[in-house]
Amino acid sequence: MPVWLKTSDSGFAPAFDAFLATKREASADVDLAVRNILADVKARGDAALIDLSQKFDSVDLATLGIRVTADEVDAAVKACKPDTLEALSFARDRIRDHHGRHLPENEIYQDALGVTLGHRWTPVESAGLYVPGGLASYPSSVLMNAVPAKVAGVERLVIVVPSPRGELNPLVLAAARLAGVEEIYRVGGAQSIAALAYGTETIRPVAKIVGPGNAYVAAAKRQVFGTVGIDSIAGPSEVLVIADKDNDPDWIAADLLAQAEHDTAAQSILMTDDEAFAKAVEKAVERQLETLPKRDIASASWRDFGAIILLKSLDEAPPLADRIAAEHLEIATRDPDELGSRIRNAGALFLGAYTPEVIGDYVSGSNHVLPTARSARFSSGLGVLDFVKRTSILKLDASSLGKLAPAAMTLAAAEGLEAHRRSVEIRLSEKG
Amino acid sequence: MPVWLKTSDSGFAPAFDAFLATKREASADVDLAVRNILADVKARGDAALIDLSQKFDSVDLATLGIRVTADEVDAAVKACKPDTLEALSFARDRIRDHHGRHLPENEIYQDALGVTLGHRWTPVESAGLYVPGGLASYPSSVLMNAVPAKVAGVERLVIVVPSPRGELNPLVLAAARLAGVEEIYRVGGAQSIAALAYGTETIRPVAKIVGPGNAYVAAAKRQVFGTVGIDSIAGPSEVLVIADKDNDPDWIAADLLAQAEHDTAAQSILMTDDEAFAKAVEKAVERQLETLPKRDIASASWRDFGAIILLKSLDEAPPLADRIAAEHLEIATRDPDELGSRIRNAGALFLGAYTPEVIGDYVSGSNHVLPTARSARFSSGLGVLDFVKRTSILKLDASSLGKLAPAAMTLAAAEGLEAHRRSVEIRLSEKG
């Protein structure tokens, strides 16, 4: 059973605090193991990748090869159903169109003192994309990570993906092909992150690593951060649905379950101002669970982390939603735009009853890589900005330098940095 | 003596690789110590802050108070010289003006299928700014971190700063006042990062932590990343100067020393196509060092990490500079704009002989918090974007949902996510 929290209860505040503090993942202490793996790959390169892949993935890369060949990708594409390929192409095109709007603009201007200021954006030269194996090996995620990088202008895009017992998901290879990624390696885990960060004989290092992974991958990304750039550390997925009683309980139940089927650690939360409606949704969830292929996963998620938050009024929703800072926030109320405008912390808003979050997972064109675990308080979904960086530009002449020099020299002196002061002063002396 | 590297030497490529791989900081393994400090503050709050500050900073916060009072800030401001306050105000205004141009714009549009897409930017609610004590306690850095946060609209801005033996730099307090930061705590080290991330009785947690610090602070930021947002992990500062022979060697030498005086681990690199000029700069450095107050630091930096890279032609500069990916890149050549346009990886460009990097440290208006240790390959200087986050927005109606539904359902089915498929399908049934 999901937890019920009622804002009308006197104990609501501490109960809500405790709910927010609930850990959904065991914080496995894999730091030391990962440190050793990183050191091994750094020292031994391909040989370490081969040994570690044998150990963790039961695959012999010495025979199979570390790199996936173009022939293998061809074969994978042929193995996919045409309508699936078509749907992937449709998704890719929409992602490309939407993200194409987000290339940031360069700036250069001269201010009133004659100082030229500005910045220039450039793509990172190379990026590595981690694609999980097993349960979470989603072709849609390949598109969501690779297409923005391509739009940003990243020249070299690399995919690493574990191949347990030599198996690869053909849809992942097909999505890579559709996204224009030709450099794919069948390595996973912390060892693949090490290869991307430090390079091996076969895998040249990249400048930035993105993509979700398990605890080992997350720890590895954290440890190589600085040597390379990383995106966020992804946690289990979550949805918050704010709905009034004018909804079909079955629609809302379906959305809660779409989240819950991802992972036993996923979280689905309903927030409503109508108790009878909440109970109807709860019943609908139970009913729909019965026929769900992934009912074991979904029911565990709903039982352990599901929640129903009953409000006295929908006006209570925005501050509570901001504290939850959900990855996905569906608003199915009379005026979803108005309520949505009062939300500050959320990865993505899905406005109105005809906007199930699932559309955003696949074909809306917006990105489905969104901040999890309350990180929408301080971070954003993946996008073109994650694959570009900014160089600031400054240009002075003797005249504008003369105008800025006195304050600069005063501050350098105040900070006790005489060489700083001199570096300005020496350029003034000619005029003195 | 700085290392000399000549592109005309047959061994240049491996020598340059080795140069790039040089570690300038001992990678102190402080992870475990930091982990214990974080756990202590999480468990015991203020009491841990008091104990740890006694231990590391020799200061009794139980008596002095954790929070710096407004009276103390008043007194600090009064203790500052008027011309220093004026220079700080001048710098603040220029930083505010320049960063004020960088507030990102919201987007909302309807595409050809009737799907409403967009995003909204909002400031993070609260941010903590770490200000180092001791050598690197720079009021200019307070402005560079705090002003962009204020421009972004961050409501609550907190400064933590260690106070060894109870001492605080009055200029730091004055800069905080000028930047509009009123919440200041005299705690430093990993314990202050823990307080900002988890909160204590006195210090409410923040959403994001920025600012440079020592190895303990860096490790703490790395460990709390995810609980809160962080900026980059700062390393020692560096400058690359690309100069032709038409420069005054003394100017260039002054710029190299301005970088070197920061820290024995700082790095100053000269790249030129003229050997006689390079030798003249080297001599000028030696001469200027003699009268420099921080000559011990600057000469150690220049001796251990300084470098002169002699090119056959300035056309060799851009690819080499891109590999160095310097925090600061000065270009003092005949056509600095043209050469600068061929640079991809740099934190900031300083174009022309009248643009010493020092101007960017203080009063240019652009930010002096820039990517170090080659991270300009994948990251940008601090700015308004570091204090805002994006919520994506999606809205469909029955008609546009109908257009996207088939592909979404196909992909959900291909990924084996039946609850996803149903969440779309159920909304179509009314029409069926």
Side-chain angles (χ1 to χ4, degrees), chain B residues 175-196:
Chain B
R177 170 67 56 84
L178 286 172
V181 184
E182 297 293 344
E183 192 177 341
I184 306 170
Y185 301 99
R186 63 184 116 233
V187 226
Q191 57 273 23
S192 69
I193 302 299
L196 291 173

Side-chain angles (χ1 to χ4, degrees), chain A residues 344-345 377, chain B residues 96 99-100 102-104 121-127 145-157 179-180 207 383-389:
Chain A
R344 177 167 188 161
N345 297 333
R377 292 173 298 127
Chain B
R96 195 159 55 196
H99 288 72
H102 303 150
L103 281 163
W121 293 94
T122 46
V124 300
E125 291 164 339
S126 52
N145 282 273
V147 174
K150 284 283 175 183
V151 168
V154 177
E155 288 99 340
R156 180 175 163 245
L157 203 50
V384 171
L385 285 177
D386 291 287
F387 297 101
V388 295
K389 70 268 183 337

Side-chain angles (χ1 to χ4, degrees), chain A residues 31 35 94 98 107 109 111 120 222 255 261 291 337 343 349 353 381 390 392 395 420 422 427, chain B residues 31 35 94 98 101 109 111 120 222 261 291 337 343 349 353 381 390 392 395 420 422 427:
Chain A
D31 277 352
R35 195 175 300 270
R94 289 190 56 86
H98 181 62
E107 167 189 58
Y109 69 99
D111 73 9
R120 191 173 69 214
R222 200 183 280 273
D255 298 351
E261 76 171 339
T291 59
D337 297 67
I343 299 290
L349 295 179
R390 204 174 59 231
S392 67
K395 188 176 186 184
H420 279 61
R422 291 184 187 173
R427 288 168 161 86
Chain B
D31 278 354
R35 195 175 299 271
R94 289 189 58 85
H98 180 63
R101 304 169 63 98
Y109 69 98
D111 73 10
R120 192 172 68 215
R222 198 182 284 270
E261 76 171 338
T291 58
D337 297 67
I343 299 290
L349 295 180
R390 202 175 61 232
S392 68
K395 189 177 187 185
H420 279 60
R422 289 183 187 174
R427 289 170 160 88

